[in-house]
Amino acid sequence: MAEIKVQKDVKSLNKEIAEKNRAEFKKHNIFVMNIMGSPGSGKTTLLENILPVLAKSYRTAVIEGDLATQNDAERIRKTGVEAFQINTNGGCHLNAKQIEAEYAKIDPDHTDLIIIENVGNLVCPIEWDLGEDLRVVLLSAPEGEDKPLKYPPAMLKTDAVVITKADIASFADVNIEQMKKNILSVNPKAVVLEAGKVNGVYSAESVIDYIKEKIKAKKAE
Ligand SMILES: Nc1nc2c(ncn2[C@@H]2O[C@H](COP(=O)(O)OP(=O)(O)OP(=O)(O)O)[C@@H](O)[C@H]2O)c(=O)[nH]1
Ligand SMILES: [Mg+2]
């Protein structure tokens, strides 16, 4: 019983800080996106491919979440975009307080877009509001077409699901069309997109267009 209460208090405190973050982002006209998905689903690879395009239109910063290493932040910096690495030392998700602390290192008057790559995990990150405007979940084809059915909160508490690694679906006996149907059966409102290698070349046009559309819609509010 006591454990349930502590958990509830931690969650409500997180919500308060997330709302503070959201107000702060809004005040400075900064669009914030939270990318989630299993370990290795292709989150950093997607960022490496979309940042060179997005950074032409928006002054962008990336916040990376991992249990350990600076690896992902270093990969992002190679694209020319500023990156801040959080190491959770075992924590399975990012929380609003960690984002507040990294945001303090970013110049809000010279930033239009912040992209957060959450800790690789299809369960925990979904439950933690960071103050973001947009949630995107990556689902890689080799994880299996049944995963949307087995991990429904990840499908329900997101705006979009991006299927990655369709190029290797056939090697893992995965049916992409069934995976899409499974996503929509859990959440008919989810926007379902694809990104990944096609004939050896990485493509993420639909994801870039989607993000641009969402930023435009937010600015028009
Ligand atoms: N074949 C293929 N490989 C991909 C694709 N996208 C990513 N990968 C590979 O998948 C592996 C994991 O990709 P990452 O981008 O590091 O995955 P991640 O989700 O950032 O992983 P964590 O940050 O550890 O959770 C890398 O070896 C990528 O090259 C794709 O569309 N097709
Ligand atoms: Mg990564």
Side-chain angles (χ1 to χ4, degrees):
M1 200 65 183
E3 198 176 303
I4 293 170
K5 182 159 186 338
V6 170
Q7 176 75 349
K8 191 164 174 244
D9 288 349
V10 170
K11 276 274 173 72
S12 53
L13 180 63
N14 184 76
K15 189 79 191 156
E16 267 173 40
I17 301 170
E19 289 310 334
K20 239 175 84 189
N21 288 349
R22 192 169 280 114
E24 183 66 22
F25 300 149
K26 189 165 187 210
K27 189 169 121 194
H28 291 281
N29 225 353
I30 300 172
F31 189 86
V32 179
M33 175 175 154
N34 181 6
I35 301 188
M36 294 167 278
S38 300
S41 53
K43 299 179 290 299
T44 312
T45 308
L46 175 72
L47 285 177
E48 287 171 322
N49 284 279
I50 66 175
L51 286 171
V53 181
L54 291 175
K56 280 187 194 151
S57 305
Y58 314 104
R59 294 165 297 179
T60 307
V62 170
I63 299 174
E64 283 289 342
D66 280 298
L67 270 69
T69 82
Q70 294 282 319
N71 290 4
D72 283 3
E74 282 165 14
R75 285 171 64 184
I76 297 303
R77 285 183 200 122
K78 284 188 189 146
T79 69
V81 169
E82 197 175 19
F84 302 88
Q85 180 79 54
I86 298 171
N87 282 149
T88 61
N89 300 311
C92 62
H93 62 87
L94 293 177
N95 62 48
K97 190 150 188 60
Q98 289 166 322
I99 298 305
E100 184 186 43
E102 296 311 304
Y103 175 69
K105 301 174 191 168
I106 295 171
D107 178 355
D109 297 321
H110 294 91
T111 306
D112 305 306
L113 172 64
I114 297 175
I115 302 182
I116 301 163
E117 179 185 338
N118 221 307
V119 177
N121 186 309
L122 200 54
V123 182
C124 311
I126 286 290
E127 304 303 332
W128 295 78
D129 186 4
L130 305 178
E132 69 271 35
D133 298 294
L134 183 70
R135 296 181 135 206
V136 173
V137 166
L138 263 62
L139 195 60
S140 66
E143 289 172 61
E145 69 227 4
D146 60 340
K147 293 307 170 287
L149 306 176
K150 293 177 72 178
Y151 296 83
M155 305 296 113
L156 283 164
K157 298 178 184 178
T158 189
D159 299 291
V161 180
V162 178
I163 298 176
T164 60
K165 305 193 192 183
D167 58 313
I168 54 173
S170 61
F171 299 105
D173 297 328
V174 170
N175 181 336
I176 295 285
E177 288 315 309
Q178 190 57 48
M179 190 179 235
K180 287 181 185 168
K181 280 185 195 153
N182 289 345
I183 295 166
L184 292 171
S185 76
V186 177
N187 181 3
K189 288 190 183 149
V191 173
V192 183
L193 304 169
E194 271 190 57
K197 283 186 189 165
V198 180
N199 299 323
V201 180
Y202 197 95
S203 158
E205 267 87 44
S206 64
V207 178
I208 292 169
D209 290 347
Y210 176 70
I211 295 168
K212 285 186 166 178
E213 210 179 275
K214 287 288 173 184
I215 294 175
K216 211 168 140 194
K218 167 111 194 277
K219 288 202 189 299
E221 270 174 16

